[in-house]
């Protein structure tokens, strides 16, 4: 072959290779979204969390939704063998790649999941379609390419082949989910096994975690309206931060009261706040159950000291801490003047600026100006402790968005 023809052939081969590489890159962009980084390898459980990792250096995992595991669901000692659990959750931020966390925290036997999907897209775990979650453990899925829209409902389904009893669940969700078996599809108000949905995000600065009780979980709000105050906050943030709701009805700062209040805020901080993907700020809205729920705490200083301890632990992990004042509850069955005095004493210290980095005055947002120990009637769900949709909107609107940024922080509640 003449040398000129050989050079021409070589140039053509190089050019063809470049065109092929460009075509592959273009196809990858179509699949993963503009500017998306390559998908990371499947992560182990130990490496799955990235709290306080800033998202500004490239796409990072950020929580778009979470639910704190409350306990073992009654009557589910054998789990749901052969059934499909379909959890419906409401997102705060969007992305093109997602992962899910399944928890068997309160199970006494291994949980075997042999099929999982996010909005019908198959999910794998270390490359396999089947995963076993040890009793007391949790697993994080491989990344799955699936469009996740902000402020929208997402369906996360999985079939439990065997075990996993009793079921780790979160009740009183104010969201309709489903349980499916050979008899049909049944509605439920429980989230089961699923504790987090994270997305890869280039826009979000991180996640805001709301650590709270029933007022954070949304007790009294309309089912499927997504009217909890963290939902209102997420709408206002407009994608700048993911919002992770770690509210549990009946939750206390310390100890466990009657009912299903779950582990205390003190005991679950590491898991439900510090373990949230992309966590940068925590809003602590706890204390009212320590005041009014049996056994009642009569010393406000004990409550304040516990709240300060939460702040110190969050600071040690680099989080900004925003607290909330305790809302009024006169008219509720457990109200007494003495207990209300404890509530007001806790609020006084919170307002002094010595408990948190800054605070949101939830008390001022929803109390009746003519009767400040009571909720404003238009915000009352009817039991004089929990709020309706309008009341939760007042709480969500009360948060000064600048207070959530670590570098931009007013020292007192914004009016």
């Amino acid at each position: 072959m003449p040398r000129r023809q050989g050079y021409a052939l070589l140039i053509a081969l190089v050019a063809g290779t470049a065109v092929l590489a460009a075509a592959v890159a273009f196809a990858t962009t179509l699949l993963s979204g503009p500017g998306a980084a390559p998908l990371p390898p499947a992560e182990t459980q130990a490496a799955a969390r990235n709290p306080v990792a800033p998202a500004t250096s490239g796409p990072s995992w950020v929580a778009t939704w979470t639910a704190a595991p409350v306990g073992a669901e009654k009557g589910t000692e054998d789990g749901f063998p052969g059934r499909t659990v379909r959890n419906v959750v409401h997102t705060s931020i969007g992305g093109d790649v997602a992962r899910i966390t399944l928890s068997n925290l309160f199970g006494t036997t291994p949980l075997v999941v042999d099929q999982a999907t996010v909005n019908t897209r198959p999910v794998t775990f270390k490359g396999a379609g089947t995963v076993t979650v040890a009793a007391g453990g949790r697993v994080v899925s491989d990344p799955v390419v699936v469009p996740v829209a902000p402020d929208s409902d997402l369906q996360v389904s999985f079939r439990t082949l065997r075990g996993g009893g009793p079921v780790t669940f979160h009740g009183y969700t104010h969201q309709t989910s489903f349980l499916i078996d050979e008899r049909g599809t049944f509605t439920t108000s429980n989230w089961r096994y699923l504790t987090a949905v994270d997305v890869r995000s280039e826009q979000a600065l991180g996640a805001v975690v709301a650590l709270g009780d029933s007022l954070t979980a949304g007790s009294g709000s309309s089912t499927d309206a997504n009217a909890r105050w963290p939902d209102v906050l997420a709408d206002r943030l407009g994608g700048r931060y993911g919002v992770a709701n770690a509210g549990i009805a009946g939750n206390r700062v310390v100890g466990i009261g009657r009912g299903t209040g779950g582990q205390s805020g003190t005991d679950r901080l590491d898991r439900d706040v510090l373990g949230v993907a992309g966590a940068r700020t925590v809003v602590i809205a706890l204390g009212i159950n320590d005041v009014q729920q049996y056994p009642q705490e009569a010393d406000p200083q004990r409550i304040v000291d516990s709240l300060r301890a939460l702040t110190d632990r969050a600071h040690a992990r680099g989080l900004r801490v925003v607290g909330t004042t305790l809302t009024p509850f006169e008219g509720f069955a457990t109200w007494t003047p003495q207990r209300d005095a404890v509530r007001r004493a806790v609020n006084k210290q919170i307002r002094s600026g010595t408990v948190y980095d800054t605070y949101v005055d939830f008390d001022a947002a929803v109390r009746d100006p003519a009767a400040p120990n009571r909720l404003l009637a238009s915000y009352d769900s009817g039991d004089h402790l929990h709020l309706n949709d309008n009341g939760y909107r007042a709480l969500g609107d009360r948060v000064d968005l600048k207070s959530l940024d670590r570098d931009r922080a007013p020292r007192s509640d914004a009016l």
Side-chain angles (χ1 to χ4, degrees):
M1 177 184 296
R3 182 175 296 177
R4 186 183 301 273
Q5 288 181 338
Y7 285 150
L9 180 59
L10 179 60
I11 292 170
L13 288 172
V14 171
T17 301
V19 170
L20 178 60
V24 170
F26 178 69
T28 301
T29 299
L30 288 178
L31 287 172
S32 61
L39 294 182
E43 287 135 317
T44 64
Q45 180 177 327
R49 308 285 85 182
N50 62 338
V52 306
T56 54
S57 59
S60 297
W61 288 116
V62 179
T64 186
W65 172 91
T66 64
V70 174
E73 184 176 355
K74 291 183 179 180
T76 64
E77 288 74 14
D78 298 325
F80 293 129
R83 298 187 190 180
T84 296
V85 176
R86 180 171 297 159
N87 293 299
V88 178
V89 305
H90 195 74
T91 65
S92 56
I93 58 172
D96 294 322
V97 181
R99 69 183 184 186
I100 63 174
T101 299
L102 301 181
S103 173
N104 193 20
L105 178 63
F106 298 102
T108 57
T109 60
L111 167 68
V112 179
V113 172
D114 70 341
Q115 194 177 85
T117 60
V118 175
N119 275 4
T120 73
R121 298 286 181 93
V123 177
T124 59
F125 302 82
K126 295 184 180 179
T130 298
V131 66
T132 299
V133 189
R138 68 176 182 181
V139 297
V140 180
S141 76
D142 300 334
V144 54
V145 177
V146 57
V148 176
D151 191 24
S152 65
D153 287 348
L154 192 73
Q155 293 190 3
V156 180
S157 302
F158 42 87
R159 187 171 62 189
T160 57
L161 186 62
R162 63 180 180 273
V167 172
T168 297
F169 86 118
H170 182 109
Y172 309 108
T173 67
H174 314 287
Q175 194 99 37
T176 302
S177 292
F178 304 92
L179 187 62
I180 304 166
D181 62 20
E182 69 280 357
R183 298 170 299 167
T185 300
F186 304 90
T187 60
T188 177
S189 61
N190 291 344
W191 288 317
R192 296 176 169 112
Y193 297 121
L194 182 70
T195 58
V197 178
D198 306 327
V199 295
R200 291 282 294 274
S201 175
E202 292 180 320
Q203 291 77 34
L205 300 175
V208 175
V209 186
L211 179 67
D213 47 40
S214 57
L215 296 172
T216 297
S219 295
S221 66
S222 300
T223 298
D224 297 328
N226 301 300
R228 314 163 192 86
W229 72 258
D231 297 319
V232 176
L233 177 61
D235 292 342
R236 293 182 59 212
L237 286 167
R240 287 183 59 225
Y241 289 92
V243 176
N245 192 328
I248 295 178
N251 204 227
R252 302 166 65 105
V253 180
V254 293
I256 298 177
R258 285 179 176 171
T260 56
Q263 296 170 312
S264 71
T266 297
D267 292 335
R268 65 190 183 94
L269 180 75
D270 286 358
R271 181 189 67 229
D272 294 343
V273 176
L274 305 182
V276 169
R280 289 170 65 88
T281 299
V282 56
V283 181
I284 299 176
L286 287 171
I288 193 62
N289 287 323
D290 297 78
V291 172
Q292 64 85 21
Q293 187 184 77
Y294 181 84
Q296 291 88 0
E297 178 54 71
D299 183 356
Q301 193 60 50
R302 291 178 185 270
I303 298 173
V304 169
D305 288 346
S306 296
L307 295 173
R308 284 201 182 105
L310 290 178
T311 298
D312 291 342
R313 289 168 59 191
H315 281 167
R317 290 288 294 273
L319 271 68
R320 176 164 179 74
V321 183
V322 179
T324 72
T325 53
L326 310 186
T327 53
F329 67 107
E330 184 177 355
F332 191 66
T334 60
W335 187 90
T336 66
Q338 294 78 17
R339 290 168 191 162
D340 195 61
V342 174
R343 177 186 71 89
R344 288 185 281 108
V346 171
N347 283 349
K348 183 177 180 180
Q349 292 207 50
I350 291 173
R351 290 186 179 111
S352 73
T354 61
V355 181
Y356 306 113
D357 295 325
T358 188
Y359 72 92
V360 186
D361 204 337
F362 276 4
D363 174 34
V366 296
R367 69 191 179 203
D368 185 342
N373 295 331
R374 287 181 173 269
L375 294 174
L376 193 66
S378 59
Y379 292 159
D380 192 342
S381 67
D383 67 2
H384 311 301
L385 172 65
H386 300 104
L387 303 169
N388 58 24
D389 294 355
N390 290 332
Y392 287 122
R393 177 158 296 281
L395 296 187
D397 286 342
R398 185 77 180 194
V399 180
D400 179 3
L401 301 187
K402 291 183 293 185
S403 73
L404 304 176
D405 292 330
R406 285 183 292 185
D407 299 326
R408 303 163 58 194
R411 285 296 302 175
S412 61
D413 178 65
L415 301 178

